[in-house]
Amino acid sequence: MKQLIISLGRQVGSGGHKIAEALAERFSLPLYDKNLIAELAAQRELDPETLRKYEEAPRHPYLSRSIRGLSNSAEAGLAGMQFLFLRGKAAKGDSFVVLGRCSGYILREFPGLISLFVRGDLADRVASIQQAHHLTQDEALEFIRKGDKRRAAYHNEHCPTQWGHGDTYDLTINSSRLGLSGTTDFLEDYIRRRIAAEP
């Protein structure tokens, strides 16, 4: 099989992480999500728990400065480490699935990239977050609002494209329509058709 890189962005509570795990299993590919932090920490002899505080987070506007393109921001530093790691894997010809991390943009020059975005109806997302985190409806709504805002700010800080916007991805899909299993089946079929269409 030629190189295949599946980049998957997602709204909070849409089931995007579970879909990414399922696609990684179906295509027998490694998945880079939060485990990327542990790998980077081991490589650089850093504390993974400290790094996780800055995971997929935008720079703090009052605590960071940029001079001649260099930033003192821990968030920007971690983002840069992840981008270099993913580009390095892609440059070696590796195939993998990556969750978020601006991967649809930073890996755009690799022809094996397929960029996806999973969204969902708000009611379904709230129910999912309530169940997963044992929250009230209002607490789940706030969890979603903050999470989506953080992801959008992170993406929009590092990319000229807009997080969640249809023009940013090859395909966006609402997981509420087919459910997680049906959405995964649909995306698997789409990816296999894309692979078959490659010259």
Side-chain angles (χ1 to χ4, degrees), residues 8-17 19 116-125 148 151 163-166 169 171-180 183 187:
L8 194 145
R10 74 287 186 212
Q11 288 181 323
V12 173
S14 66
H17 191 271
I19 290 169
L116 310 169
F117 189 86
V118 179
R119 60 178 299 271
D121 290 348
L122 184 58
D124 293 333
R125 295 165 62 205
D148 281 350
R151 288 179 185 173
W163 181 81
H165 193 281
Y169 310 91
L171 179 70
T172 62
I173 189 165
N174 186 332
S175 59
S176 294
R177 298 294 172 265
L178 299 174
L180 297 190
T183 300
L187 292 175

Side-chain angles (χ1 to χ4, degrees), residues 179-194:
L180 297 190
S181 178
T183 300
T184 304
D185 291 343
F186 181 91
L187 292 175
E188 179 186 2
D189 182 63
Y190 172 79
I191 292 164
R192 294 195 185 280
R193 287 172 183 267
R194 282 282 302 274

Side-chain angles (χ1 to χ4, degrees), residues 88-105:
K89 289 288 185 183
K92 288 197 305 183
D94 290 2
S95 294
F96 51 88
V97 179
V98 57
L99 195 66
R101 288 152 187 82
C102 298
S103 50
Y105 178 75

